[in-house]
């Protein structure tokens, strides 16, 4: 998935630069095509996950794509957006969209691995070619829509309720929590539940000081963590990916950095969480406010407003803290991991000739 996410992320970076420096209008055909190119990998991320998860869980790839594809089917999406009740055999289905989500697809394919093995045991050999795929689809798809898919929706709704409840009382703690937890929120697709909250805040007040501020801290921290890991790495391919995805994250597109570097190697993600949390704590205490809905480095243009120059200074300081703390933390933590990997590789190379000699002797 990494090449697709990297390419899509860089398309988004290009579009962000194009609008910032007025290279093209958002209504131009070229911009719209580039936007579609950038959205494609993220929109169809559940399908990409289905393909790769099917290999890991030893599920028929075509069936996995078909079942997960139901989440993205235009008819299902249109049904959801229509607001009409959705049900299957009188059992209600949560009206939610699943583009760019991770957990529903992974859980669905994981569950399919058990369903597929169970079905294979009970069907007669002569009818397996017909019954197996049919039964797997009939069992897996309703479970995915009724049980697995809505988990992210319910979790998102619960998160939104908690945020609304605590925002007025524990504002600075909520910014810290959201900034540090944002990578995991994005992984589940729960970040979509936060969109109506900050949109309604903007509509009512013209500014926002919680969700978007936390997203800026998290995105910058993830980018810095990936860049630090790339600097530490001894592999040219990892360096290249970390650099590209790190820049993409700083520009607001975190998926390449999150899935390609930070989550994959784990320790950079710890550095990103530390940096985002520290920056979020600072932002919450001093009350950083955004007057433009932006979640990337371009947020630097959105700190100017009613709070005056103090908010601009605090906003820039928040961004510097997110970048610096995450970079340093990831550089220190990831360095230990990288040296261990190099040592392991060198040991394997040193032992390889010995193993080859043993194998040759044994064959003789």
């Amino acid at each position: 998935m990494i090449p697709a996410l990297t390419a899509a992320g860089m398309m988004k970076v290009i579009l962000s630069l194009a609008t910032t420096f007025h290279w093209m209008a958002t209504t131009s055909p070229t911009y719209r095509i580039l936007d579609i190119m950038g959205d494609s990998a993220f929109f169809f991320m559940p399908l990409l996950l289905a393909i790769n998860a099917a290999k890991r869980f030893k599920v028929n790839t075509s069936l996995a794509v078909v079942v997960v594809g139901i989440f993205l089917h235009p008819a299902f999406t249109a049904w959801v957006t229509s607001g009409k009740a959705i049900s299957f055999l009188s059992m209600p289905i949560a009206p939610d969209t699943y583009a760019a989500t991770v957990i529903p697809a992974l859980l669905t394919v994981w569950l399919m691995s058990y369903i597929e093995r169970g079905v294979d045991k009970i069907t007669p050999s002569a009818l397996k070619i017909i019954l197996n795929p049919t039964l797997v689809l009939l069992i897996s798809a309703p479970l995915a829509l009724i049980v697995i898919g809505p988990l992210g929706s319910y979790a998102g709704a619960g998160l939104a309720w908690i945020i609304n409840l605590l925002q007025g009382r524990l504002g600075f703690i909520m910014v810290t929590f959201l900034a540090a937890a944002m990578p995991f929120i994005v992984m589940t697709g729960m970040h979509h539940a936060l969109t109506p909250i900050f949109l309604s805040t903007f509509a009512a007040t013209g500014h926002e000081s919680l969700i978007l501020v936390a997203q800026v801290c998290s995105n910058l921290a993830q980018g810095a963590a990936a860049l630090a890991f790339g600097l530490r790495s001894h592999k040219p391919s990892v360096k290249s990916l970390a650099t590209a995805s790190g820049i993409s994250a700083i520009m607001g597109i975190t998926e390449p950095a999150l899935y390609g570097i930070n989550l994959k190697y784990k320790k950079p993600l710890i550095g990103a969480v530390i940096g985002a949390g520290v920056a979020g704590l600072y932002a919450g205490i001093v009350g950083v406010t955004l007057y433009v809905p932006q979640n990337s480095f371009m947020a630097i243009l959105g700190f100017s407003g009613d709070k005056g120059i103090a908010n601009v200074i605090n906003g820039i300081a928040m961004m510097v803290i997110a970048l610096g703390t995450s970079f340093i933390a990831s550089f220190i933590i990831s360095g230990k991991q990288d040296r261990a990997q190099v040592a392991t590789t060198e040991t394997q190379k040193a032992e390889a000739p010995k193993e080859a000699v043993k194998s040759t002797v044994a064959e003789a």
Side-chain angles (χ1 to χ4, degrees):
M1 291 177 59
I2 294 173
L5 294 177
T6 302
M10 294 310 295
M11 286 295 104
K12 290 295 186 179
V13 172
I14 293 171
L15 289 176
S16 180
L17 293 173
T19 53
T20 300
F21 296 104
H22 306 289
W23 294 339
M24 66 179 76
T26 56
T27 55
S28 69
T30 302
Y31 181 95
R32 294 176 66 181
I33 292 296
L34 288 173
D35 191 37
I36 292 171
M37 291 165 60
D39 281 339
S40 180
F42 300 127
F43 183 88
F44 292 108
M45 188 183 294
L47 294 182
L48 296 176
L49 284 165
I51 293 169
N52 290 278
K55 299 175 184 176
R56 176 60 62 91
F57 295 125
K58 296 180 174 58
V59 175
N60 181 278
T61 304
S62 298
L63 273 176
V65 170
V66 168
V67 173
V68 174
I70 295 171
F71 288 136
L72 306 176
H73 196 286
F76 178 74
T77 304
W79 197 352
V80 169
T81 54
S82 70
K84 298 179 180 178
I86 307 173
S87 64
F88 179 78
L89 297 178
S90 300
M91 291 179 286
I93 295 175
D96 200 5
T97 55
Y98 298 98
T101 58
V102 173
I103 302 301
L106 287 179
L107 288 179
T108 297
V109 179
W110 171 73
L111 180 63
M112 283 182 66
S113 65
Y114 292 97
I115 294 173
E116 196 171 68
R117 288 196 293 269
V119 167
D120 187 64
K121 291 179 180 178
I122 63 173
T123 53
S125 300
L127 299 176
K128 285 185 184 295
I129 189 64
I130 297 174
L131 288 181
N132 278 24
T134 304
L135 290 175
V136 170
L137 179 60
L138 278 174
I139 298 171
S140 301
L143 284 175
L145 290 171
I146 297 170
V147 180
I148 297 175
L151 288 177
S153 302
Y154 296 143
L159 179 64
W161 180 80
I162 293 172
I163 290 172
N164 277 326
L165 179 66
L166 299 179
Q167 185 174 0
R169 303 176 183 177
L170 302 171
F172 73 96
I173 293 179
M174 290 307 299
V175 178
T176 306
F177 165 74
L178 276 181
M182 195 58 68
F184 311 103
I185 295 173
V186 171
M187 284 174 58
T188 62
M190 289 162 55
H191 61 296
H192 295 301
L194 304 180
T195 302
I197 299 176
F198 75 73
L199 286 179
S200 61
T201 302
F202 261 108
T205 65
H207 55 78
E208 207 271 340
S209 57
L210 176 62
I211 296 170
L212 283 178
V213 171
Q215 288 181 351
V216 171
C217 294
S218 178
N219 292 354
L220 295 183
Q222 285 204 62
L227 291 173
F229 186 83
L231 189 63
R232 274 292 200 185
S233 178
H234 295 269
K235 298 180 180 180
S237 59
V238 175
K239 281 183 176 290
S240 176
L241 175 61
T243 301
S245 62
I247 294 172
S248 174
I250 290 173
M251 296 301 295
I253 311 300
T254 59
E255 282 85 355
L258 175 60
Y259 300 120
I261 295 295
N262 298 343
L263 183 62
K264 179 179 180 180
Y265 295 101
K266 299 180 180 65
K267 291 188 177 180
L269 184 59
I270 298 175
V273 169
I274 293 171
V278 173
L281 179 61
Y282 174 83
I285 292 174
V286 301
V288 173
T289 301
L290 269 170
Y291 295 89
V292 175
Q294 181 59 259
N295 64 354
S296 69
F297 183 75
M298 295 302 172
I300 197 171
L301 305 174
F303 294 126
S304 179
D306 297 339
K307 289 189 176 182
I309 190 66
N311 188 66
V312 176
I313 294 173
N314 285 328
I316 294 174
M318 174 197 78
M319 297 171 77
V320 171
I321 291 171
L323 289 167
T325 306
S326 178
F327 187 92
I328 294 171
S330 179
F331 189 83
I332 294 172
I333 299 172
S334 301
K336 296 178 181 179
Q337 183 187 43
D338 200 50
R339 285 196 296 272
Q341 289 174 339
V342 171
T344 302
T345 302
E346 291 177 349
T347 302
Q348 291 173 344
K349 289 181 178 179
E351 291 178 352
K354 298 178 183 178
E355 295 297 328
V357 170
K358 289 180 181 178
S359 178
T360 303
V361 172
E363 289 176 2

